[in-house]
Amino acid sequence: MQVISRVAELTELLDTFRRSGRRIGVVPTMGALHEGHLSLVDRAAELTDLVVATIFVNPTQFAPTEDLATYPRTFAEDCTMLEKRRVDIVFCPQDTEIYPPGFSTFVEPPEVARSWEGRSRPTHFRGVATVVLKLLNMTRADVGVFGQKDFQQATVIRRMMFDLNHPCEIVVAPIVREADGLAMSSRNRYLSPEERIKAAGIRRSLLKARRAITTTASITGTEVTKIIRDELLISQIGEIDYAVAVDPDTLEPQTKIQLPVVLLVAARVGSTRLIDNEWIKADA
Ligand code: PAF
């Protein structure tokens, strides 16, 4: 596994590799890795011949009030974890390598970035879309693998790629969960033991809503929202940002539930904001 921090070195190495006709997969991350990230790396390894994992805490996707300064940085542990999987290159640029002096071009994210996370974090997807496009351009990867955990992010990226005719294929890999169902996230480490127990209620709320949808002939979005909210309140999760049933492509709320549907939840447990989702496909 090679660790590279310069764009020029990365592109030169990957150009040589690409000329031999082999396929490149990229897994963009912000580090603080867990099994969820490693599952993305494993998926990239199944689909391509060379896997690049990027580790870059992207400043442009954090609002000034958010946790950029304290975001967990665990580079040595990340490399140890990646070394045990089939990762060929770790790309870990400095901020100035991605945003050199004078940098001023940003991606205007698609419509699907406006709602949900976009409402709570208005500049977030502009930063995500910009850095993802840059990383895909730098690597010229054939496949980019992203986690379903950040459902709206994956939707924004898929839409951006389509709108901009970008040739890289975007693969969305399933959520990896802790034993109690909590979706793995780098931010879970902020939770105290008591908060950790409460946080598991998010998964319960989604499963309860899934059961209601798959066993009730006709159910409304409002009813689904109520099921999720009630279960969150039982788990003592009071600060709910949104709990909604949406169309998986447009992220528009569904008034009458029709499969496929995605249930999106964002809630604060203590001071930690957590997101999760449940994708109920047409054949559920
Ligand atoms: O999901 C993340 O970790 C980040 O948003 C990403 C895709 C690596 C862009 O910085």
Side-chain angles (χ1 to χ4, degrees):
M1 188 174 88
Q2 285 191 63
V3 177
I4 294 177
S5 59
R6 308 304 297 255
V7 178
E9 197 186 338
L10 177 76
T11 39
E12 197 183 312
L13 190 68
L14 292 180
D15 279 350
T16 313
F17 188 81
R18 196 176 299 104
R19 274 197 290 275
S20 68
R22 285 172 293 171
R23 281 162 60 83
I24 297 169
V26 66
V27 180
T29 84
M30 298 206 298
L33 300 184
H34 49 67
E35 278 300 320
H37 294 111
L38 300 179
S39 74
L40 307 183
V41 160
D42 292 347
R43 188 79 188 109
E46 281 165 17
L47 296 171
T48 62
D49 305 302
L50 179 135
V51 177
V52 183
T54 73
I55 298 181
F56 178 62
V57 182
N58 174 35
T60 62
Q61 69 188 72
F62 289 79
T65 50
E66 293 180 346
D67 57 346
L68 174 62
T70 55
Y71 194 84
R73 287 163 172 84
T74 56
F75 185 69
E77 290 96 313
D78 292 346
C79 286
T80 308
M81 290 168 95
L82 292 172
E83 226 152 16
K84 295 189 182 133
R85 309 301 248 250
R86 222 211 73 202
V87 174
D88 302 282
I89 297 174
V90 176
F91 178 54
C92 51
Q94 295 293 312
D95 287 7
T96 50
E97 197 66 13
I98 300 291
Y99 301 113
F103 179 91
S104 61
T105 306
F106 285 86
V107 174
E108 170 71 26
E111 194 66 31
V112 286
R114 297 249 166 91
S115 52
W116 320 122
E117 286 306 286
R119 205 166 290 152
S120 307
R121 310 176 70 190
T123 55
H124 175 66
F125 286 123
R126 179 183 192 247
V128 170
T130 302
V131 82
V132 167
L133 188 63
K134 282 176 69 77
L135 291 168
L136 296 177
N137 287 343
M138 285 168 189
T139 53
R140 289 175 54 206
D142 298 280
V143 177
V145 185
F146 296 84
Q148 187 202 314
K149 156 79 177 15
D150 295 291
F151 193 91
Q152 188 172 12
Q153 169 172 281
T155 308
V156 167
I157 292 167
R158 283 194 299 122
R159 186 72 226 189
M160 168 181 79
M161 303 298 279
F162 178 78
D163 286 353
L164 299 182
N165 304 93
H166 200 289
C168 178
E169 179 192 350
I170 300 300
V171 170
V172 180
I175 300 175
V176 178
R177 297 182 179 280
E178 303 287 355
D180 63 2
L182 179 65
M184 286 195 183
S185 163
S186 305
R187 290 188 170 101
N188 288 353
R189 67 191 76 200
Y190 298 150
L191 298 168
S192 70
E194 296 76 33
E195 289 169 347
R196 182 68 189 65
I197 292 168
K198 288 184 191 175
I202 297 177
R203 176 66 174 153
R204 279 196 300 278
S205 74
L206 289 169
L207 286 180
K208 207 162 178 187
R210 170 188 259 275
R211 254 191 318 276
I213 289 171
T214 53
T215 57
T216 314
S218 162
I219 186 164
T220 66
T222 312
E223 286 163 338
V224 171
T225 293
K226 182 165 166 23
I227 292 169
I228 299 173
R229 282 185 172 268
D230 286 351
E231 188 62 35
L232 291 174
L233 292 177
I234 290 169
S235 307
Q236 295 173 34
I237 300 173
E239 238 189 286
I240 304 162
D241 193 348
Y242 54 81
V244 69
V246 300
D247 176 277
D249 291 321
T250 63
L251 305 187
E252 293 287 340
Q254 288 193 356
T255 319
K256 280 183 78 177
I257 301 300
Q258 275 190 321
L259 303 190
V261 65
V262 183
L263 313 178
L264 300 176
V265 171
R268 215 169 265 283
V269 180
S271 56
T272 308
R273 191 168 178 283
L274 298 174
I275 59 170
D276 199 350
N277 65 79
E278 181 70 9
W279 191 355
I280 311 173
K281 301 199 174 155
D283 52 2

